[in-house]
Amino acid sequence: MKSGLADRHNQQSINRYPAIRPFIIPAQEAKGAVSKANTIESSADGRRVFTQICAARYQTNALGLPGAFPPLAMSDYLNADPTWAISTVLYGLSGKITVNSTGYESVMPALGPSLSNEEIANVLTYLLIISTTRVAASVLKRS
């Protein structure tokens, strides 16, 4: 079901929110599309959006609230498929999901109507960057 929903919304998402196209198109096409300065700026804007809209539910560290709201940072569920992540932000999600081997059942409202294309792209960029940073820190800690 997850794959089917993501496939169904893939083209619709690109058409409706062209700013998120770099998250959906193959990596080789997107390579070099965003400069380092733009990525840093996007991440700062994404953090602002996350703090204002998402942090109360998912905590300021994006690690969620155990038993209630799943982690967004280092989330196998969110990072598994960029199209699915975009669809979740755009259209919301309800029902049972499994994130990092833990079950959750809650509702995430659709944010597509209230966020701009750029804000959606920026908040997902921010989550990707903090996830990557935390994974790298975890690996370095073990070394």
Side-chain angles (χ1 to χ4, degrees):
M1 182 177 138
K2 177 178 165 181
S3 173
L5 180 61
D7 291 341
R8 188 176 83 213
H9 291 303
N10 186 16
Q11 191 58 46
Q12 184 180 18
S13 297
I14 291 171
N15 293 339
R16 187 169 175 201
Y17 300 95
I20 61 175
R21 187 172 177 355
F23 291 99
I24 296 176
I25 59 176
Q28 61 271 25
E29 290 181 38
K31 193 175 184 179
V34 179
S35 72
K36 185 175 181 180
N38 285 344
T39 302
I40 292 169
E41 186 178 309
S42 294
S43 177
D45 290 343
R47 180 179 182 167
R48 179 189 52 77
V49 171
F50 180 85
T51 301
Q52 291 173 346
I53 296 174
C54 312
R57 180 176 288 213
Y58 297 101
Q59 307 306 299
T60 56
N61 60 8
L63 293 176
L65 193 59
F69 302 110
L72 300 178
M74 300 187 303
S75 166
D76 60 353
Y77 184 86
L78 196 60
N79 293 319
D81 181 0
T83 304
W84 182 249
I86 294 163
S87 285
T88 301
V89 174
L90 292 174
Y91 306 109
L93 181 69
S94 63
K96 295 179 183 182
I97 60 169
T98 301
V99 179
N100 300 343
S101 303
T102 303
Y104 294 89
E105 187 169 4
S106 58
V107 175
M108 180 179 157
L111 298 174
S114 60
L115 294 177
S116 71
N117 301 347
E118 190 173 356
E119 288 171 320
I120 292 169
N122 290 346
V123 78
L124 290 173
T125 297
Y126 170 69
L127 290 171
L128 179 64
I129 288 171
I130 64 171
S131 293
T132 304
T133 303
R134 287 191 178 134
V135 168
S138 169
V139 169
L140 290 172
K141 216 179 216 182
R142 285 188 242 152
S143 301

